[in-house]
Structure formats: structure tokens, C-alpha cells
Amino acid sequence: MEMGMSVKKSSWVIAVITALALMFSSLFSLNADAAAQTNGDKVVAYAQTLKGKPFKWGGTTTKGFDASGFTQYVYAKSVKVTLPRTSADQFKKGKDVKLKDLKIGDLVFYKTNGKSVSFVGIYVGKQQFISATSNGVKVQSMNTTYWKNQYVGAKRIVN
């Protein structure tokens, strides 16, 4: 009888130790994930804090942004990277990225004037980007007919 009792106790102790070990290991993995935040993650996290800021032609501050003013501001504040002022000049920077290889934080470029690169946004994942639109800073789907038809390409500025 006593033999059975000690087996129950020891299996209960093992269960508690296992539960604690699992709990602590998940805490440690969370810390590892936070430490492994990429520059692209930092860019997107910062960009998301600016949602709803107004549009302003030629705007480069939180009082109002245009598309390239927004990307320039976000990159400077989040990862200390200086981008050129216009979307056309930003398109000359970084490494070409195929649509299927986009990573969070990549710049996505569009020809909204019908001729050349005239608009830029920041890829946030799941075929979406954040940008300063005429309706202010917001996240949009790259899969709408409008954005699909205007797409020019993407650039990786940071890893």
C-alpha cells in the first residue's frame, strides 16, 4: 500500500516539475523572439503607430505625410536609415525583391500617375502595405485591382 502512495506522489511531483519547466521554457522563447526582432519588424511596428495621421502633399512630419515623406520618416525614426525624398529616388535604393519574396518592412512601389514610380508603401505582411494615402496613413490590400494594376516593384532596404 505504501509503495502505491509514493508512486502517486512522485508522479504528481514530476507532473508539477514538467508543468513549471514548460511554463519557463515558453517565457524564455518569448524573450528570444523579442531579441530576434528584425529591422523590418521595427519599421512596420513604428509605421503602425502612425495610422490615421493626415495626408499632406509634400508632408514629411506627423502633421501630415505624403507617400515618400511617410516612408522616409518611418525609416529614419525606426531604424536610423536615411531614404531619398521622392518615391522615384527611393526606388533606386535597396535590393530588388520579387512579389512572392516580400518580407515585412520592404518598400512596395506603384505608378499612380500612370507613367513612372510615384507612390511607395511599406509591406506589412499578408499582401498588405501601410502608406500615406489621400485619406491619411492606413493599411491597404495589394490585391485590389487598383493596386495590382499600378504595381511596379519592391525593394529591400533593411534585413
Side-chain angles (χ1 to χ4, degrees), residues 12-55:
W12 182 82
V13 169
I14 289 168
V16 168
I17 290 170
T18 304
L20 288 170
L22 284 170
M23 191 171 75
F24 283 112
S25 71
S26 70
L27 287 176
F28 292 123
S29 71
L30 284 176
N31 290 341
D33 289 347
Q37 188 182 39
T38 67
N39 282 327
D41 294 331
K42 290 177 192 166
V43 167
V44 168
Y46 190 81
Q48 298 275 18
T49 68
L50 300 171
K51 266 196 244 173
K53 293 292 180 194
F55 176 82

Side-chain angles (χ1 to χ4, degrees), residues 85-146:
R85 177 61 189 95
T86 68
S87 49
D89 286 340
Q90 289 179 13
F91 188 62
K92 296 173 187 168
K93 297 291 179 193
K95 191 183 107 188
D96 284 328
V97 180
K98 289 185 170 87
L99 194 55
K100 65 179 179 61
D101 298 326
L102 281 173
K103 286 190 178 165
I104 288 174
D106 288 345
L107 295 179
V108 288
F109 293 89
Y110 296 87
K111 55 176 195 275
T112 54
N113 64 8
K115 301 184 292 264
S116 57
V117 171
S118 53
F119 187 86
V120 61
I122 299 168
Y123 186 68
V124 298
K126 296 185 177 140
Q127 298 300 303
Q128 295 183 319
F129 67 94
I130 188 169
S131 61
T133 71
S134 55
N135 297 319
V137 174
K138 63 182 197 171
V139 174
Q140 304 187 82
S141 170
M142 296 173 72
N143 292 327
T144 65
T145 304
Y146 178 77

